[in-house]
Amino acid sequence: MAGWLSAEELVALRLSLTVAGVAVAASLPFGVLVAFLLARGRFRGKAVLDAVVHLPLILPPVVTGYLLLLAFGRKGPVGQWLNDWFGIVLSFRWTGAVLAAAVMGFPLMVRAIRLSLEAVDGRLEDAAATLGASAIWTFLTITLPLAFPGLLAGMILCFAKAMGEFGATITFVSNIPGETQTLPTAIYTFTQTPGGEAGALRLTLVSVALSVAALVASEVLARSLRLRTAAA
Amino acid sequence: MSARLEVDIRHRLGALSLDVAFASAGPVTVLFGRSGSGKTSLANIIAGLIRPDAGRVVCGDTVLADSGTRLFLPAHRRRIGYVFQDARLFPHLTVRRNLLYGRWFAGRGEAGPPFDRMVDLLGLGALLDRRPDSLSGGEKQRVAIGRALLAQPRLLVMDEPLASLDEGRKDEILGHIEQIAAAATVPIVYVTHSVREVIRLASHLALIDNGRLQAFGPLAAMLGRIGPAGETGPGEPVVLLDAVVAGIDPVFGLAHLETGIGGIEIARAGLRPGQRVRIRILASDVMLALRAPEAISARNLIAAEVVDLQPVPDGTNARVDVHLRAGDTAFPARITAKARHELGLAPGARVVAVIKSVAIES
């Protein structure tokens, strides 16, 4: 592949994989927590939480990116605080691309995990409780393993979304080769450059392959989830 | 000495309002009633899966729930084993891991029943590495029983554990439960609407109807209140006798039973000499004669003495319950008031009881 893709394309592909991988890993704990709250929780403001989580799915990505810039940019309240206290700068850095990708992929991840948690038979959790398992142990030993295929599916969807994220990324962290230029922004750049069609096409083929693979994998996992949660 | 279970709760559940209070010292307390009567909810309250609106649940020395002091021990800290109607095995774990699940939480400090012995007792050896979805209904239920017992419970709750099994499997699982009850290491609360299961297992019986406790007491005192079809109410008197199969007549296929009221012959396949069984005789299945009748097809004639006579309180005074004694054992007969008059029955009279029908329960 290294011979097939140019050095610049390879950098964009590698950066995309890194950004998407870190975005999935970093958002997974929050994804599980939020999915659990939405699936099982009974609290005031649940509808608000649900709406906020799903907002990036509905808002124009550019708007999400601009909101991130307002909040996490150097002058933004959160960005300033992160910079002052931890020396972390997100805007126009690859870490900012991670944040943008994570925010955009989060609703998909939460949705898949939430559905799989709701599919777990609560009567099995009752059974675990009568055998001495506290709520946390029941979650770790019964609920989570049974929901695992959904967890994986959520991670794959989030990963695929992160790989393809364009609008929020380019608005929040721009399109800097080697720093924030991911696959979609690289493709965009190629299409704007005379003679860039070949590069755009190669990266497009890579994107299509990755997306199809993600879709197939999530379908297979969803099927295995249905089999595993059939009550025994 | 088995732990004492005290229940005194009130709980509202949709249209059903539960109001039940009893205290049982029995090794096997059966909650008996129609479906929808609130038995399962009561079992769930005992196990801590439902928090009652008001009242107390005490097991042995431990208060499990007390609305007065706002105490509610959550299910996982109660050490109450639960065998559900649907076995509820964990589908992602092997049989072995299912069995060991509760044991791990029970802690190392206390010595529970040895794993290998439980596996032998329930015949699970060949199943250990299988997954629950490959097990039959009876196998699942055996694993569920083993799993509950290995968690070292202070009390075992069983909610209609036979309900989803076919007839053959029911007998097999019932045999295992009898063994566990006989070992008397763990007191059992058993939920059912089957008279057969009551008679084979119960030491104490709580009759529940529409959320209310109709009656509670030791099995023998309660039997008369369970009709043949399982309805509860002021039914007719019944006697329950422990019997031993003394021999089998190979020519006519009759089993000879030794009981407290004398020898009884019944036609019943599958009994072995030496086997212990419980038999049930309904008062209306007992006829009375002043002398042993000749040329009669009934096989079981028992010489008895009339102890007492009570009119049946059904408002008509047409029938009489006659309390009889043979040897040291009391049993009832229900005859018409007219028959009583014609036979001139009074306390102390010697009669021959003709037993028309004997139900064998195990």
Side-chain angles (χ1 to χ4, degrees), chain B residues 38-67:
Chain B
K39 315 182 291 286
T40 296
S41 304
L42 184 56
N44 285 342
I45 285 172
I46 293 171
L49 297 177
I50 298 178
R51 184 181 194 138
D53 294 339
R56 276 161 59 85
V57 179
V58 182
C59 182
D61 304 326
T62 312
V63 180
L64 302 176
D66 187 344
S67 61

Side-chain angles (χ1 to χ4, degrees), chain A residues 115-169:
Chain A
L115 285 176
S116 66
L117 288 177
E118 282 171 350
V120 173
D121 190 342
R123 295 172 310 162
L124 292 175
E125 294 167 348
D126 280 351
T130 66
L131 292 165
S134 64
I136 290 168
W137 277 114
T138 300
F139 183 73
L140 290 177
T141 59
I142 306 297
T143 318
L144 212 48
L146 286 175
F148 189 64
L151 215 72
L152 268 181
M155 289 167 70
I156 288 170
L157 284 173
C158 181
F159 186 83
K161 177 73 188 170
M163 288 291 290
E165 211 317 301
F166 178 83
T169 309

Side-chain angles (χ1 to χ4, degrees), chain B residues 190-202:
Chain B
Y190 190 97
V191 174
T192 187
H193 60 257
S194 150
V195 176
R196 190 171 72 124
E197 291 164 33
V198 168
I199 291 185
R200 276 183 64 169
L201 294 171

Side-chain angles (χ1 to χ4, degrees), chain A residues 39-54:
Chain A
R40 299 291 168 83
R42 276 197 209 103
F43 54 93
R44 288 168 67 88
K46 184 171 162 178
V48 174
L49 178 65
D50 200 15
V52 167
V53 166
H54 282 91

Side-chain angles (χ1 to χ4, degrees), chain B residues 233-265:
Chain B
E236 66 175 288
V238 172
V239 67
L240 188 75
L241 300 171
D242 287 316
V244 182
V245 181
I248 307 283
D249 175 348
V251 180
F252 294 104
L254 287 176
H256 185 84
L257 306 182
E258 281 304 335
T259 74
I261 58 169
I264 284 185
E265 283 179 341

Side-chain angles (χ1 to χ4, degrees), chain B residues 55-112:
Chain B
R56 276 161 59 85
V57 179
V58 182
C59 182
D61 304 326
T62 312
V63 180
L64 302 176
D66 187 344
S67 61
T69 59
R70 304 183 67 84
L71 176 99
F72 179 76
L73 212 55
H76 72 273
R77 288 177 50 205
R78 291 198 175 189
R79 289 186 38 226
I80 293 186
Y82 203 137
V83 177
F84 300 89
Q85 187 174 331
D86 47 337
R88 301 197 193 179
L89 302 182
F90 304 128
H92 60 302
L93 302 179
T94 60
V95 167
R96 183 193 303 275
R97 300 274 304 279
N98 264 284
L99 287 169
L100 290 172
Y101 188 86
R103 199 186 170 91
W104 192 67
F105 293 108
R108 299 171 205 87
E110 294 175 65

Side-chain angles (χ1 to χ4, degrees), chain B residues 95-144:
Chain B
V95 167
R96 183 193 303 275
R97 300 274 304 279
N98 264 284
L99 287 169
L100 290 172
Y101 188 86
R103 199 186 170 91
W104 192 67
F105 293 108
R108 299 171 205 87
E110 294 175 65
F115 180 76
D116 295 335
R117 224 191 65 212
M118 190 59 68
V119 168
D120 282 348
L121 180 75
L122 293 165
L124 300 174
L127 309 177
L128 287 176
D129 295 321
R130 306 228 327 241
R131 296 258 173 185
D133 56 7
S134 72
L135 303 181
S136 71
E139 287 168 340
K140 280 180 194 169
Q141 215 46 290
R142 264 154 47 203
V143 175

